[in-house]
Amino acid sequence: MILHTLLDYEILRIIWWLLLGVLLIAFAVMDGFDLGVATLLPFVGREDVERRVVINTIGPVWEGNQVWLILGGGAIFAAWPPLYAVSFSGFYLAMFAILFALILRPVGFKYRSKRESALWRTSWDWALFIGGLVPALVMGVAVGNVLQGVPFHLGDDLRIFYDGTTLFELLNPYGLLAGLLSVAMLVMHGAGWLTLKTSGTVNARARRFGMAAAVATVALFAIGGLWLTVIDGYRITSVVDPNGPSNPLYKTVEVASGVWFENYAAHPWMLVAPVLGFLGALGSLAAFAAKKDGVPWLFSSVSIIGIISTVGLSIFPFILPSNVDPRSSLTVWDASSSHMTLFIMLVCAVVFVPIIIAYTSYVYKVLWGKVEEKDVTDPSTHAY
């Protein structure tokens, strides 16, 4: 209880904002290359054996990688209930599309090689492609809409009302740009993984696609940043009590262009995030060109960390702005669970997250090494 007293409400809110960012970045880094590899599958593998090699680079690890998505969703549910309520109800159709695409992945892995038919296997290959492309695209579109504000408002009793209409309103120009950036970023990441885990023709094709994706990542990230200068951002104009109750309606919010860049002017150290986004992608491009197996994956991880951090730092302290009632916007200071809930969750995270990291590290150590054609054609290996 002494520690509970020392960690006041403000500190716990900041810790859980940081932890949410860490969990989302961990998902993008760990499961992101799975999505990127699946998106590349029909293109880097031209023959059945080559595609089996590609599948077996992620087949043994994708389930463990997806733990970070579950942890992120759980953290939103427990630490930021209003955020969970708005995003998982307002973005319901988008979430359903992601869920449907993700379901294709385990089914595709298990059923693809059940029959020798070329049509059967090719169909499942494209299903795996959808399972990689759709989540990457839709998650990016969602982030693009967060930066523009989401159509919801709160009633006087804090009931949440989503004022959007259809899934297609999310597919606005800036949302689609963010979606394409997400796809390019994860394809770059997946290509980097393939250079680490494959050799020969598949490795060479992955490098070529990785270089194109790295260039696209740099270009789209730059365009997105420039475009953001003319998009309305949100600024709290009332006094903020970091230890106050979780009631978004207690504040007033101003809407103006270029606001999302104010944090960088006030805190120049935050510029590290976009710099890492660019340098990581450029480093990945150089490593692909130099044929440094595995190094592109490390640089693409840096790029992912930088790009996602850029979004979080740009909109802080907002976590979900409202474009129909700015006062209803959710922030770090007014959308969290109680002090005690955040503390109990922090204790659980301190205990269980290191266990997950240790187990994941052990699995990757056991599975280290390249996947060769002989590994998937030898019946004793039980490969996909």
Side-chain angles (χ1 to χ4, degrees):
M1 294 304 295
I2 296 177
L3 183 58
H4 173 258
T5 303
L6 292 176
L7 294 175
D8 64 22
Y9 208 2
E10 177 184 4
I11 293 175
L12 283 172
R13 281 168 161 167
I14 289 292
I15 288 174
W16 272 103
W17 174 77
L18 290 170
L19 282 176
L20 178 59
V22 168
L23 292 174
L24 293 178
I25 289 172
F27 165 68
V29 170
M30 297 305 297
D31 203 37
F33 70 79
D34 293 344
L35 301 178
V37 168
T39 304
L40 287 169
L41 173 62
F43 310 106
V44 297
R46 306 286 173 80
E47 301 173 354
D48 182 65
V49 173
E50 291 176 348
R51 291 184 177 181
R52 288 186 65 198
V53 167
V54 173
I55 290 171
N56 278 277
T57 64
I58 59 174
V61 298
W62 73 269
E63 287 180 288
N65 293 340
Q66 203 156 275
V67 165
W68 297 104
L69 175 61
I70 298 170
L71 287 174
I76 294 173
F77 173 77
W80 311 101
L83 174 61
Y84 183 90
V86 175
S87 58
F88 280 76
S89 58
F91 293 165
Y92 179 80
L93 292 178
M95 296 290 183
F96 187 83
I98 292 174
L99 179 61
F100 174 78
L102 290 177
I103 289 173
L104 290 176
R105 188 160 52 167
V107 178
F109 286 146
K110 298 298 182 182
Y111 281 88
R112 181 192 182 277
S113 296
K114 294 294 185 182
R115 297 177 60 182
E116 296 291 339
S117 166
L119 177 61
W120 172 270
R121 294 189 173 189
T122 300
S123 298
W124 283 115
D125 291 338
W126 285 104
L128 289 170
F129 165 78
I130 294 172
L133 176 67
V134 170
L137 178 65
V138 175
M139 290 177 185
V141 168
V143 173
N145 279 272
V146 168
L147 286 166
Q148 298 174 89
V150 176
F152 74 93
H153 73 276
L154 302 178
D156 292 337
D157 57 356
L158 297 185
R159 289 178 60 196
I160 297 171
F161 298 89
Y162 185 75
D163 301 308
T165 53
T166 67
L167 172 64
F168 295 102
E169 71 181 356
L170 301 178
L171 304 178
N172 52 73
Y174 193 80
L176 288 173
L177 174 70
L180 292 175
L181 171 59
S182 176
V183 171
M185 178 179 73
L186 297 186
V187 166
M188 171 182 67
H189 198 43
W193 179 255
L194 287 175
T195 66
L196 176 66
K197 297 291 290 184
T198 67
S199 58
T201 304
V202 172
N203 184 292
R205 291 182 188 136
R207 281 201 311 274
R208 291 197 294 270
F209 280 105
M211 292 174 67
V215 172
T217 298
V218 172
L220 292 170
F221 190 36
I223 293 171
L226 292 173
W227 196 339
L228 201 60
T229 62
V230 297
I231 289 179
D232 286 343
Y234 300 77
R235 179 195 297 124
I236 298 175
T237 55
S238 56
V239 177
V240 175
D241 181 4
N243 291 294
S246 287
N247 188 335
L249 299 181
Y250 284 174
K251 66 180 181 299
T252 56
V253 176
E254 179 185 45
V255 180
S257 297
V259 172
W260 289 147
F261 291 88
E262 290 183 348
N263 282 343
Y264 298 104
H267 309 284
W269 64 265
M270 291 184 177
L271 289 170
V272 171
V275 169
L276 287 178
F278 284 115
L279 291 183
L282 291 173
S284 188
L285 174 63
F288 279 125
K291 300 182 180 180
K292 300 291 187 180
D293 290 355
V295 178
W297 186 87
L298 296 175
F299 276 111
S300 62
S301 297
V302 171
S303 183
I304 289 172
I305 293 169
I307 291 173
I308 295 178
S309 297
T310 297
V311 175
L313 292 172
S314 296
I315 68 175
F316 182 85
F318 291 89
I319 51 179
L320 191 64
S322 168
N323 58 16
V324 297
D325 180 22
R327 189 176 65 134
S328 295
S329 299
L330 306 180
T331 75
V332 173
W333 313 126
D334 58 28
S336 71
S337 292
S338 68
H339 187 184
M340 180 60 74
T341 299
L342 295 183
F343 176 74
I344 293 173
M345 288 177 57
L346 180 61
V347 173
C348 294
V350 169
V351 172
F352 290 106
V353 170
I355 295 175
I356 295 171
I357 294 174
Y359 174 75
T360 301
S361 301
Y362 173 75
V363 169
Y364 276 87
K365 179 180 178 181
V366 171
L367 297 173
W368 193 254
K370 291 183 179 292
V371 179
E372 306 288 351
E373 290 189 6
K374 62 181 177 62
D375 297 322
V376 301
T377 54
D378 183 354
S380 65
T381 61
H382 302 288
Y384 286 105

